[in-house]
Amino acid sequence: MSTKQGALVAAILGSAVVAVDSTVVNVALPAIEDDLGGGLAGQQWVANAYLLTLAALILVSGSLADLFGERRLFVLGVSAFGVTSVLCAVAPSIEVLVAARALQGVSGALLTPASLAILIAVFPPDERGKAIGTWTAWGGIGILLGPLLGGQIVDSADWRVVFAINIPLVLGTLALASTYVPAGEPRTAGQDRPHVDVTGAALCAVGLAGATFALIEQPMLGWSSPAVWGPGLGGLAVFAAFLRFEARTPHPMLPLGLFGRSNFRWGNLETLFMYGGIAVMGFFLGLFLQQAAGWSALEAGTTMLVPTTVMFVLSRRFGALADRLGPRAFMAAGPLLSAGGLLLLLRLDATVAFATDVLPALLLFAIGLAVSVAPLTATVLADADEHNAGIASAVNNAVARTAGLLATAAVGAALSASFAAEVDDRLGDRPLSPPAAARVDAAKDRALGVADGAGVPPAVTEATRDAAVSTFHLAMGIGAALMAAGGLLGLAGIRNPRPEDGCRDVHAEDCAGGQLAGQPQDVAQGGPQPAAVPA
């Protein structure tokens, strides 16, 4: 194996293990809750702890490869991901698992930009496009296989194996990196060393953590609890301080001046709403199918093949159409189509058939994503200058991750309140035996759970199942509203680029990976590096 081939395989494996892990976890959440407890809040934290650290660090991670050397950062990221995978696999409590997931987010933020930096260092400009395209494609395959792999593991073995299976992949990646990836040299004091905005990253992380904590813990503690409003208000204050700091520091990780450009500003607003809707669907559909409809983890994971496959097949084609006709119509129509798909999920009840209930809804949802994702990414990047194209890609990526973090936290709070109220309303003053009361309380804790088993009357089981269906409908309605708002924002604010606008020539056809890889052609031509993280 040549140096180029070995370095490419190492980069693919390093990024793929992160991509697979990101899609495996949602399928495993019901099994994790059965084993470690924690209810819906615990499930949200397992998913969101990763997104929290990832979103906070993604804007500075690209500079670290330049500062310390791409192989050193890659090896550090892969090694840390392996260690944190072990911690996840052996976690004795939900708290330990959440902490390990947060550390995994740090590892992912280091690992994937370093993978891309390795490809830039190893491949000459005329070969980078093909290499990065291959890297992107395998990342997409990892996302495609993740739910199937996770579902099969959870059903046939144990959720802990979902994390333990990373270890051999990590060891193989490290062996390839040590053999085929050039050492590289970190910047010295005499060179133009990139600035790492440590203060900005810390303020961003603390601000997002405070707001997320308040939203997730509110259903259990209530808004009147100082343990909720204290972190919530504190998080908002710290995030405001982050924005003020970024406006004044000479080397911000978030250049606020970019938002003065119309398409960049409106494109990121659309990203915020659209990716929030995507996160709501991805998180709560899997929980509902397993906890309320009685599907296995593999069956629930299989449903995620639909949007991923449609995106894989059609996104590039719609990107090419947008290049010819302009992105505005695609950025407006796509999210509206996806909103229609989520509204079709309102037909689901406790008995769900894949072919007639789930498939039509997910096909429409996926076609909407395929229509809009590539034009959205290209439009945001086109409104940035050559020298800040990389940070523009990273900002858009961070907005998408933050959208998922906040949307699942906020919608989870709404669902917990709705489910508890629905159950109380349906049960009324019905007396419950201690076993039945305990199971009803457990169902409320999960928000999309069903109280069944020994000692639970059928009427109580039916009441909680109906409440779960109603609560799921609320989640999909909120997701549809977020998607529709994204489409309307695109319609209202996006302008088709004109030569006189001075926009860069960024082809949507080259952005089919969306937030997976930004625009690889920038890198292939020796341009700025997009800080892409497939998670």
Side-chain angles (χ1 to χ4, degrees):
M1 187 183 298
S2 68
T3 297
K4 292 178 184 177
Q5 291 173 328
L8 177 59
V9 174
I12 287 172
L13 283 177
S15 298
V17 71
V18 179
V20 170
D21 207 67
S22 67
T23 54
V24 160
V25 170
N26 280 0
V27 177
L29 287 176
I32 291 172
E33 199 278 337
D34 284 341
D35 187 15
L36 301 182
L40 177 62
Q43 293 172 321
Q44 288 177 287
W45 275 120
V46 170
N48 285 346
Y50 182 91
L51 288 177
L52 174 63
T53 52
L54 179 65
L57 294 177
I58 190 173
L59 291 173
V60 299
S61 58
S63 301
L64 294 175
D66 285 338
L67 189 61
F68 299 109
E70 57 272 2
R71 190 176 82 169
R72 180 179 298 179
L73 191 68
F74 180 75
V75 169
L76 174 62
V78 173
S79 302
F81 201 87
V83 171
T84 54
S85 294
V86 172
L87 292 176
C88 289
V90 301
S93 67
I94 194 69
E95 292 81 9
V96 173
L97 179 59
V98 168
R101 286 286 290 162
L103 293 175
Q104 271 196 323
V106 176
S107 306
L110 298 177
L111 193 161
T112 310
S115 301
L116 195 52
I118 286 172
L119 299 183
I120 297 169
V122 170
F123 287 89
D126 61 332
E127 298 179 17
R128 286 180 194 159
K130 182 179 180 180
I132 295 170
T134 302
W135 174 78
T136 303
W138 279 101
I141 291 170
I143 292 174
L144 183 71
L145 295 178
L148 281 178
L149 180 64
Q152 183 62 51
I153 289 173
V154 170
D155 285 345
S156 61
D158 187 273
W159 66 266
R160 296 178 185 276
V161 182
V162 166
F163 297 103
I165 201 172
N166 293 335
I167 307 308
L169 295 176
V170 164
L171 294 176
T173 303
L174 291 174
L176 286 169
S178 65
T179 304
Y180 295 105
V181 176
E185 293 295 334
R187 301 285 182 92
T188 62
Q191 294 177 302
D192 182 18
R193 291 167 65 87
H195 179 84
V196 180
D197 185 6
V198 177
T199 301
L203 289 172
C204 181
V206 173
L208 290 175
T212 303
F213 182 90
L215 290 170
I216 291 178
E217 299 299 327
Q218 179 273 329
M220 291 183 293
L221 302 177
W223 288 116
S224 61
S225 171
V228 171
W229 59 258
L233 293 178
L236 292 176
V238 172
F239 196 79
F242 161 69
L243 295 177
R244 287 196 301 271
F245 178 81
E246 296 300 291
R248 296 173 183 176
T249 184
H251 302 288
M253 74 177 199
L254 178 63
L256 298 179
L258 284 172
F259 290 92
R261 302 176 182 185
S262 179
N263 273 2
F264 185 86
R265 179 174 64 253
W266 286 97
N268 276 289
L269 275 174
E270 178 169 353
T271 298
L272 185 69
F273 283 88
M274 181 175 162
Y275 277 81
I278 293 171
V280 168
M281 189 283 294
F283 186 84
F284 291 104
L285 177 61
L287 292 184
F288 172 77
L289 291 176
Q290 292 185 68
Q291 294 179 180
W295 285 28
S296 69
L298 179 59
E299 289 170 332
T302 302
T303 64
M304 294 298 104
L305 286 175
V306 178
T308 310
T309 303
V310 171
M311 281 282 296
F312 204 72
V313 173
L314 296 181
S315 185
R316 187 177 181 87
R317 292 173 170 81
F318 280 113
L321 281 175
D323 288 333
R324 294 201 295 271
L325 303 176
R328 181 170 180 261
F330 293 84
M331 291 172 64
L336 293 176
L337 287 173
S338 293
L342 294 184
L343 291 177
L344 285 179
L345 290 173
L346 299 182
R347 302 177 305 133
L348 270 60
D349 56 22
T351 303
V352 181
F354 175 76
T356 57
D357 296 329
V358 177
L359 181 59
L362 289 187
L363 279 175
L364 183 58
F365 175 80
I367 290 170
L369 294 186
V371 167
S372 56
V373 164
L376 172 59
T377 303
T379 300
V380 169
L381 296 184
D383 216 24
D385 298 329
E386 287 288 346
H387 73 277
N388 57 25
I391 192 63
S393 177
V395 168
N396 191 231
N397 202 313
V399 168
R401 307 309 157 203
T402 303
L405 171 71
L406 296 179
T408 54
V411 173
L415 296 194
S416 292
S418 173
F419 182 79
E422 284 273 352
V423 170
D424 291 341
D425 182 62
R426 293 174 187 275
L427 292 180
D429 296 327
R430 176 191 298 270
L432 298 175
S433 65
R439 291 187 179 271
V440 169
D441 288 341
K444 288 182 179 180
D445 198 28
R446 301 178 81 175
L448 290 173
V450 175
D452 55 11
V456 181
V460 173
T461 299
E462 189 66 22
T464 54
R465 182 174 286 114
D466 289 344
V469 171
S470 178
T471 301
F472 172 72
H473 289 170
L474 174 62
M476 294 303 101
I478 295 173
L482 290 172
M483 296 296 299
L488 294 176
L489 285 169
L491 180 65
I494 295 297
R495 295 174 55 187
N496 287 329
R498 299 172 300 180
E500 59 267 28
D501 293 334
C503 293
R504 294 193 309 130
D505 187 18
V506 179
H507 297 291
E509 186 177 8
D510 295 329
C511 300
Q515 287 310 311
L516 179 64
Q519 203 239 0
Q521 197 62 30
D522 270 346
V523 183
Q525 295 175 347
Q529 174 186 339
V533 178

